[in-house]
Amino acid sequence: MKVLTLNFLSCAVKTCKSSSDSFPLHPKEAELAKDDVEINPQLLVNVLPRIDWAALRTTSTELGFPTLPDQPPTAEELEADEKMLQELHTLLMEMQIVEGKLVCGHCGHEYAIREGIANFLLPSHLV
Amino acid sequence: MLPTPDTSHVPYARVYEPAEDSFLLLDTLSAASETGFLASRFSSSRTKVAPPPLVLEVGPGSGVVLAFLTAHAATIFGTRDILTLGVDVNRFACVATRLTVSKAVEESASTAGSFLGAVQGDLVGPVRSGAVDVLVFNPPYVPTDELPVPPAGIAEKSKTTFEEDSHLLALSYAGGRDGMETTDRLIAALPDTLSERGCAYLLLCAGNRPEEVKQRIRDFGPQWRAETVGTSGKTAGWEKLQIVRIWREPVEGDTAV
């Protein structure tokens, strides 16, 4: 699954949903792979307001990517910054998490990712 | 007619095979009424900028519907800028969905949106609150005496027995009382799952008492709408299957959209 997916997932445990610590989930021992995707600058510019920037910043740092600025670039800034476009394209559209775990910062539950598929089914005591 | 995604690689012994219900979803979502609705909500125009919608299919099974929506994004949503995601309780369905989507996207690269991936989970459990703009659900809607329990164990193995395969298939169609036990859980989660501009497409059969289901959704509040937007298989005046679109409209005197 694409790294961008982490911007839309949270811990599946009901009592974690209301806690800000359950988002974003924290990748652990993550193995990454890179798809070759043609860059679409317009999509990147459009997707910016759709993204939780602080969460993406956390994910990017935890996966060892270049540290993103504190604030998201404006559409004009991004359009004019080829390096930033390329970096965001790689991070959002090309990077896949293949193996590893996703850890909830609230309850500590670990969701395994195997062959690119994360398993969010909960053991019966957590449902 | 938009081409139907190829699902020839899907192991139908353990993953639901595309059937009349799946094709009704394809027909409905590509009909002019729905592409018009979706484009007005999710594609940018001179007067408004619409950020890319997150399209979530719950229980994609073979992936035929999610692949169709992803591959034909430009035609259906009026923009290629959409993000798509699948959540299925069956790991084999997640694997199948990923391949079905990537094949369909390859076939229709010039109109395709961006597929994020498929994750294994129970309904919208893994999805962040308020994140979903378009939710599609072809539920286990057949009324049955018992509701099969999601098996965390079975799906972790790559080899399955005949009984385990049967159980995985049962999860895809057996709906318990009125065929609504799983759908009711999804409906209850909608207000928390959908974004303010979000909408959902839900497939129901006549045995699900669709008029009562729609009324329950309208009872969420004055903003909520639930209308039948596609039907198939009329028998003796009853629609065998129907697609209900669920969405919110701003009400007068309310500034929130």
Side-chain angles (χ1 to χ4, degrees):
Chain A
M1 66 177 194
K2 285 195 203 305
V3 165
L4 175 57
T5 316
L6 291 193
N7 218 265
F8 303 113
L9 299 177
S10 73
C11 184
V13 177
K14 266 213 174 73
T15 48
C16 286
K17 288 281 182 195
S18 56
S19 162
S20 57
D21 294 335
S22 68
F23 173 85
L25 296 168
H26 304 288
K28 184 177 158 189
E29 297 154 21
E31 280 177 41
L32 302 173
K34 184 169 166 287
D35 279 354
D36 278 324
V37 180
E38 204 182 326
I39 189 165
N40 177 350
Q42 198 53 52
L43 171 61
L44 292 167
V45 169
N46 288 348
V47 90
L48 272 186
R50 190 68 191 73
I51 286 178
D52 186 310
W53 185 261
L56 181 70
R57 214 172 160 265
T58 302
T59 303
S60 174
T61 305
E62 288 176 349
L63 288 173
F65 286 93
T67 304
L68 298 173
D70 288 343
Q71 296 297 322
T74 64
E76 293 74 27
E77 282 167 356
L78 185 56
E79 277 163 354
D81 188 342
E82 209 153 304
K83 181 164 167 280
M84 172 76 97
L85 271 175
Q86 188 57 54
E87 277 178 10
L88 278 179
H89 171 66
T90 301
L91 178 65
L92 299 177
M93 295 298 153
E94 296 193 308
M95 293 316 298
Q96 302 265 353
I97 306 185
V98 184
E99 299 283 332
K101 298 184 176 81
L102 297 173
V103 186
C104 173
H106 187 247
C107 71
H109 190 71
E110 297 188 347
Y111 299 96
I113 304 172
R114 210 157 47 80
E115 293 171 3
I117 293 168
N119 182 357
F120 281 84
L121 292 177
L122 295 167
S124 51
H125 69 276
L126 287 178
V127 174
Chain B
M1 280 283 281
L2 298 169
T4 302
D6 173 18
T7 54
S8 57
H9 52 273
V10 178
Y12 295 132
R14 42 171 91 142
V15 175
Y16 187 74
E17 184 170 356
E20 186 186 353
D21 44 12
S22 326
F23 299 124
L24 177 59
L25 271 169
L26 302 191
D27 289 345
T28 302
L29 288 163
S30 58
S33 65
E34 297 320 298
T35 58
F37 173 83
L38 291 167
S40 73
R41 251 173 142 84
F42 301 115
S43 75
S44 298
S45 64
R46 260 178 304 167
T47 51
K48 81 174 162 87
V49 177
L54 177 67
V55 179
L56 170 73
E57 185 175 10
V58 176
S62 67
V64 68
V65 175
L66 193 60
F68 185 83
L69 293 175
T70 309
H72 307 305
T75 315
I76 295 170
F77 296 88
T79 172
R80 287 186 58 197
D81 295 352
I82 69 165
L83 307 170
T84 67
L85 177 68
V87 177
D88 203 295
V89 72
N90 177 350
R91 181 178 168 89
F92 299 108
C94 295
V95 174
T97 291
R98 185 169 59 185
L99 187 52
T100 307
V101 175
S102 65
K103 277 172 141 180
V105 164
E106 213 166 290
E107 289 283 305
S108 307
S110 63
T111 60
S114 299
F115 175 61
L116 295 176
V119 305
Q120 190 181 4
D122 179 35
L123 300 180
V124 294
V127 181
R128 192 184 182 207
S129 294
V132 178
D133 298 300
V134 181
L135 186 149
V136 178
F137 189 33
N138 181 0
Y141 57 78
V142 178
T144 51
D145 291 338
E146 285 187 26
L147 192 70
V149 183
I154 290 181
E156 277 304 309
K157 297 191 289 186
S158 53
K159 287 225 163 61
T160 50
T161 64
F162 177 76
E163 285 72 23
E164 288 167 336
D165 282 348
S166 302
H167 188 92
L168 287 175
L169 278 187
L171 283 166
S172 73
Y173 67 80
R177 193 174 40 79
D178 290 342
M180 283 298 292
E181 289 190 45
T182 303
T183 308
D184 276 338
R185 287 201 295 128
L186 189 279
I187 290 173
L190 282 179
D192 185 55
T193 304
L194 294 181
S195 67
E196 287 295 338
R197 60 176 182 158
C199 62
Y201 288 89
L202 175 64
L203 186 140
L204 297 172
C205 76
N208 299 152
R209 310 179 198 214
E211 290 308 313
E212 291 174 29
V213 175
K214 285 188 280 185
Q215 193 52 51
R216 284 211 297 282
I217 292 162
R218 292 176 193 133
D219 290 344
F220 281 165
Q223 299 175 317
W224 287 84
R225 303 283 183 277
E227 299 299 337
T228 301
V229 293
T231 60
S232 84
K234 219 178 190 50
T235 46
W238 286 82
E239 309 293 354
K240 210 169 100 199
L241 297 174
Q242 62 175 285
I243 311 288
V244 175
R245 187 219 289 157
I246 300 160
W247 76 107
R248 275 175 282 194
E249 292 279 354
V251 291
E252 223 165 305
D254 188 347
T255 48
V257 178

